[in-house]
Amino acid sequence: MSETILVVDDEKEIADLVELYLSNEGYRVEKFYEALPALDYTRREEPALAVLDVMLPDMDGFTLCQRIRENHLYPIIMLTARVEDMDKITGLTLGADDYITKPFNPLELVARVKTQLRRYTRYNTGPQDVPRPDEAVDIRGLRVDRESHKCSLNGKEVSLTPLEFSILWHLCRRRGKVVSSEELFEAAWGEKYLDNNNTVMAHIARLREKLGEPPRKPRFIKTVWGVGYTIE
């Protein structure tokens, strides 16, 4: 492997430990203990994935995540010592793809990194087989093209992360049916849904924001309370 992983954590011991485990898997690690030098690095280089601590001395990790998302779509994993759901939701709605709560098992972090990179690689490579007619849908001006992994609304491109695209595509593919959070999670993340968390809800909220959806009367992604989500 030759992918570069950006690691930003002001706790040197944790940053060094993460670097050790990722390096042992063949990744190249760019390590920073503050947010601003890391942000400057992202303006010059393009890592394959970023691991960001929430609590940083010069800028919180949520803001750093948001700043990175202004120009980049590569996966972002947040490290947080907090366990409150609101902190997790904040990170996800600002563009993070995953989060791990400290203290954590370094092997779990490596596994999460590999999962996110596999998903991102599939997103950028695109399907290799011959396109089928059902690989693009158009719903009242919302066009989602699975072959090119592009989304547009009334002819204007909407920039989506790989996870956001996967969620939207699954809803479009199941148009007219109610899709549970569990089904969406397993379709987009490719992992077993084990407990009731707010991950899907946070990504739905971000999708609606990008589509310019009014919170109370969304035009496309509608909530069926207690059941799931649907696009009609």
Side-chain angles (χ1 to χ4, degrees):
M1 301 178 186
S2 59
E3 292 100 334
T4 298
I5 309 298
L6 171 64
V7 176
V8 188
D9 196 312
D10 65 331
E11 295 184 67
K12 187 177 185 302
E13 296 79 7
I14 293 179
D16 291 347
L17 184 65
V18 171
E19 179 183 31
L20 175 63
Y21 273 80
L22 290 175
S23 297
N24 285 342
E25 293 294 323
Y27 297 106
R28 180 173 177 267
V29 176
E30 288 291 339
K31 184 175 54 176
F32 296 89
Y33 305 120
E34 295 182 343
L36 291 177
L39 184 60
D40 183 61
Y41 168 81
T42 65
R43 292 168 177 155
R44 296 179 282 104
E45 304 290 341
E46 179 91 3
L49 179 145
V51 178
L52 311 178
D53 186 26
V54 170
M55 303 298 290
L56 296 168
D58 53 345
M59 176 193 297
D60 67 79
F62 295 140
T63 303
L64 177 58
C65 173
Q66 190 174 29
R67 296 283 292 275
I68 290 175
R69 272 289 173 258
E70 291 174 359
N71 299 297
H72 304 285
L73 293 175
Y74 50 76
I76 297 175
I77 298 175
M78 304 297 297
L79 299 179
T80 174
R82 310 175 187 180
V83 296
E84 291 84 356
D85 283 344
M86 187 54 63
D87 291 311
K88 299 172 183 177
I89 293 172
T90 298
L92 293 169
T93 55
L94 291 177
D97 298 279
D98 202 354
Y99 59 83
I100 295 181
T101 303
K102 296 180 178 179
F104 58 88
N105 185 330
L107 292 176
E108 180 186 359
L109 175 59
V110 170
R112 299 282 188 96
V113 166
K114 289 181 176 180
T115 297
Q116 292 297 332
L117 286 175
R118 280 197 301 269
R119 182 179 298 114
Y120 188 62
T121 299
R122 287 201 306 269
Y123 174 87
N124 284 301
T125 302
Q128 301 300 315
D129 53 345
V130 177
R132 300 187 303 273
D134 63 350
E135 288 189 335
V137 295
D138 196 319
I139 304 173
R140 300 187 302 279
L142 173 64
R143 180 172 177 80
V144 185
D145 191 321
R146 184 169 180 258
E147 181 187 3
S148 64
H149 279 268
K150 289 186 177 179
C151 171
S152 62
L153 181 59
N154 298 324
K156 184 177 180 181
E157 186 169 349
V158 180
S159 179
L160 301 179
T161 67
L163 275 173
E164 291 164 354
F165 184 91
S166 294
I167 292 171
L168 182 59
W169 172 255
H170 193 75
L171 285 171
C172 289
R173 190 170 64 85
R174 302 268 289 158
R175 180 181 180 182
K177 300 181 183 300
V178 180
V179 183
S180 68
S181 295
E182 290 86 344
E183 180 180 335
L184 275 177
F185 183 89
E186 292 177 9
W189 275 261
E191 300 173 5
K192 185 69 177 174
Y193 185 93
L194 297 177
D195 55 10
N196 182 25
N197 60 50
N198 295 301
T199 304
V200 172
M201 182 181 68
H203 280 80
I204 291 289
R206 185 166 174 80
L207 264 173
R208 284 172 170 161
E209 181 182 349
K210 289 188 174 183
L211 295 175
E213 297 255 65
R216 295 188 178 276
K217 290 186 177 181
R219 182 183 176 198
F220 297 107
I221 304 175
K222 299 182 179 181
T223 301
V224 180
W225 294 108
V227 184
Y229 303 93
T230 185
I231 290 183
E232 299 175 345

